[in-house]
Amino acid sequence: MANQQEKAPLAAQEMFLLKMGELVLKGLNRKSFESRLMGNLQRRLHPYGKFRAYARQSTVYVEPMDEFCDMDGAWEGMKKVFGISGLSRARACEKDKDAFFAAACSYLGGALRAARTFKVESKRSDKSFPMTSIQLSQYVGGRLAEAYPHLKVDVHHPELTVYLEVRDFAGYVHANPEPGAGGLPVGSGGRAVALLSGGLDSPVACYLMAKRGLALEMIHFFSYPYTSEEAKEKVLELARLVAPYCGRLTVNVVPFTKIQEDLRRSCPEPYFTLAMRRYMMRISELVARRVGAGALVTGESLGQVASQTMDALAVTEAACHIPVFRPVIGMDKEEIVRIARRIGTYDTSILPYEDCCTVFTPRHPKTHPKLEEMEEIERGYDYEILCREAFEGIERIQIRP
């Protein structure tokens, strides 16, 4: 009986159901969040073929427009779109109890044969449907139990859950939804400039701020020949790895050698790292002004190194005039590593290539500096000229997901 039912599918092709995340809690400005999400989705789907995407009742429907669409590629791409809390591969059917059963047999036949226990869950968004959710689940579940006699019903811990949804446009059958990236659509929270090094922390910081809706412009400080071309390529690879979450990126590679050599000659050694970080903040702010960004993002974690004490962070931040976001500030290394592994940046981050932060590292860095001391040291610097020269020498590299 199971095989006979599987030969009579009522739906033509597979499609996707995407559940919107926290943006459904927005008030009068919810439409702007949805519009941003739909734009991000369309860009992400573009490499995989022609898809139609539309939103209704806190759900995004994504349908392939022809048989040439790469469904697997689109599925993996949409998992990394912020603003989506869950994804399901589904098949549409008529809003009829027998149509639901037939679609379940044809679309989920393999999974039903492989499972030992199952249950049916129904959601009825279209209240004009004549059966309640419980009635529909009982009807389809009973017929599936008859069609697949090896299956046992387990409402608590089933191997397979068959989901039925009665919505405005049609009925939908799917199983085993997967979690989405969550968060808010990239671009809905404005734009920021993220300082990207070759370590573990800054790619994680970029990911976390993109998840809160920030569109990011990257900046990397490159000190050739003290840092190698391999180190630069490592950072660009990290940008490529976070681009599926962040969307299209520009990496601003700043020539930083002259500034570091000047500091080595003129800056007291304990203050070297602080002075260097203040230059980075000033140049990053210049980039932010150019691209219309309203904040900086760093991967600083409180107490992790000498330049990340509370006093040192205050001295560093005082060099710029826009907010500095530090999303990993309260995380320990294990938490940061856990996220880096999940988003795929860990293996690249631990490659043994130096970055400019390790060049001319002081033996005894100042851990509790005072801003007045730092400003007194800087009085003899032409830092505005040096910052402008570095800014004008920036190499802008485009990164696409």
Side-chain angles (χ1 to χ4, degrees):
M1 182 174 179
N3 291 336
Q4 291 176 349
Q5 293 294 345
E6 290 167 20
K7 293 178 181 178
L10 294 182
Q13 59 192 146
E14 187 177 51
M15 46 91 69
F16 305 113
L17 296 178
L18 314 182
K19 306 297 183 181
M20 294 184 191
E22 64 181 278
L23 65 89
V24 301
L25 303 175
K26 302 300 178 183
L28 297 177
N29 59 348
R30 173 175 165 175
K31 286 294 183 184
S32 65
F33 285 87
E34 287 189 8
S35 176
R36 181 73 64 172
L37 173 61
M38 298 304 290
N40 293 346
L41 268 175
Q42 292 288 5
R43 283 188 290 272
R44 189 60 52 85
L45 289 167
H46 180 73
Y48 304 110
K50 296 180 180 180
F51 290 86
R52 178 188 177 216
Y54 51 97
R56 188 73 179 270
Q57 293 180 321
S58 303
T59 298
V60 179
Y61 302 80
V62 179
E63 300 173 351
M65 299 302 290
D66 56 47
E67 68 274 17
F68 302 109
C69 291
D70 179 359
M71 298 294 284
D72 291 336
W75 175 254
E76 292 301 319
M78 290 187 299
K79 286 182 183 179
K80 298 177 180 178
V81 176
F82 289 125
I84 298 298
S85 63
L87 308 86
S88 299
R89 301 176 82 130
R91 177 167 289 177
C93 65
E94 296 177 12
K95 291 188 284 186
D96 174 81
K97 61 182 181 180
D98 294 317
F100 275 112
F101 167 64
C105 289
S106 62
Y107 185 55
L108 302 176
L112 287 163
R113 286 192 298 271
R116 290 171 298 178
T117 60
F118 85 111
K119 72 173 180 177
V120 177
E121 285 191 9
S122 301
K123 180 178 180 180
R124 187 182 61 135
S125 299
D126 179 3
K127 301 305 181 184
S128 66
F129 188 72
M131 303 174 74
T132 67
S133 297
I134 294 176
Q135 289 171 336
L136 179 60
S137 295
Q138 291 174 336
Y139 178 81
V140 174
R143 292 201 62 185
L144 288 174
E146 293 176 0
Y148 300 87
H150 71 284
L151 280 175
K152 303 298 181 184
V153 175
D154 183 346
V155 297
H156 299 294
H157 304 289
E159 290 184 19
L160 176 68
T161 300
V162 176
Y163 293 92
L164 312 177
E165 298 196 30
V166 187
R167 293 187 163 272
D168 282 3
F169 304 112
Y172 299 91
V173 175
H174 61 93
N176 301 326
E178 294 192 21
L184 296 171
V186 169
S188 62
R191 178 174 291 274
V193 170
L195 282 70
L196 184 64
S197 71
L200 285 160
D201 306 335
S202 57
V204 171
C206 293
Y207 162 83
L208 291 173
M209 293 314 303
K211 188 174 183 177
R212 299 315 303 156
L214 280 185
L216 297 176
E217 184 99 357
M218 305 294 193
I219 186 167
H220 174 66
F221 295 88
F222 184 53
S223 295
Y224 185 83
Y226 303 107
T227 55
S228 63
E229 286 293 332
E230 288 84 359
K232 175 182 172 182
E233 181 55 40
K234 171 186 174 180
V235 170
L236 295 178
E237 178 61 19
L238 288 172
R240 295 185 192 103
L241 291 170
V242 298
Y245 296 98
C246 300
R248 294 172 292 183
L249 298 172
T250 299
V251 180
N252 296 265
V253 181
V254 180
F256 206 52
T257 307
K258 184 176 180 180
I259 289 175
Q260 288 197 293
E261 290 179 337
D262 183 76
L263 287 174
R264 188 186 189 189
R265 290 190 298 268
S266 59
C267 181
E269 185 182 3
Y271 291 87
F272 178 85
T273 302
L274 286 169
M276 178 188 70
R277 297 288 295 174
R278 283 168 64 85
Y279 270 105
M280 290 179 175
M281 291 295 184
R282 293 183 179 110
I283 297 169
S284 298
E285 185 174 8
L286 292 175
V287 173
R289 290 175 181 171
R290 177 169 67 184
V291 301
L296 304 182
V297 175
T298 76
E300 293 162 315
S301 175
L302 186 64
Q304 188 174 123
V305 294
S307 63
Q308 294 175 19
T309 64
M310 187 185 304
D311 295 334
L313 292 172
V315 169
T316 300
E317 186 171 344
C320 64
H321 303 89
I322 57 177
V324 179
F325 297 152
R326 300 179 174 97
V328 302
I329 191 71
M331 293 185 183
D332 61 30
K333 208 64 179 182
E334 289 185 5
E335 292 173 296
I336 294 170
V337 166
R338 194 178 306 124
I339 298 174
R341 290 185 186 278
R342 190 174 78 239
I343 65 177
T345 58
Y346 176 81
D347 290 337
T348 301
S349 289
I350 63 173
L351 292 175
Y353 299 120
E354 70 289 339
D355 64 39
C356 70
C357 292
T358 61
V359 176
F360 311 137
T361 303
R363 290 167 294 178
H364 303 289
K366 192 76 171 178
T367 56
H368 298 288
K370 296 186 182 301
L371 180 59
E372 305 80 44
E373 296 172 346
M374 194 71 248
E375 290 176 338
E376 181 63 30
I377 292 171
E378 290 180 336
R379 291 194 200 286
Y381 300 165
D382 292 326
Y383 61 78
E384 291 187 2
I385 294 175
L386 289 171
C387 287
R388 179 57 60 178
E389 288 179 355
F391 175 74
E392 292 174 352
I394 284 176
E395 177 188 8
R396 290 171 58 82
I397 299 173
Q398 304 295 323
I399 304 290
R400 292 182 178 272

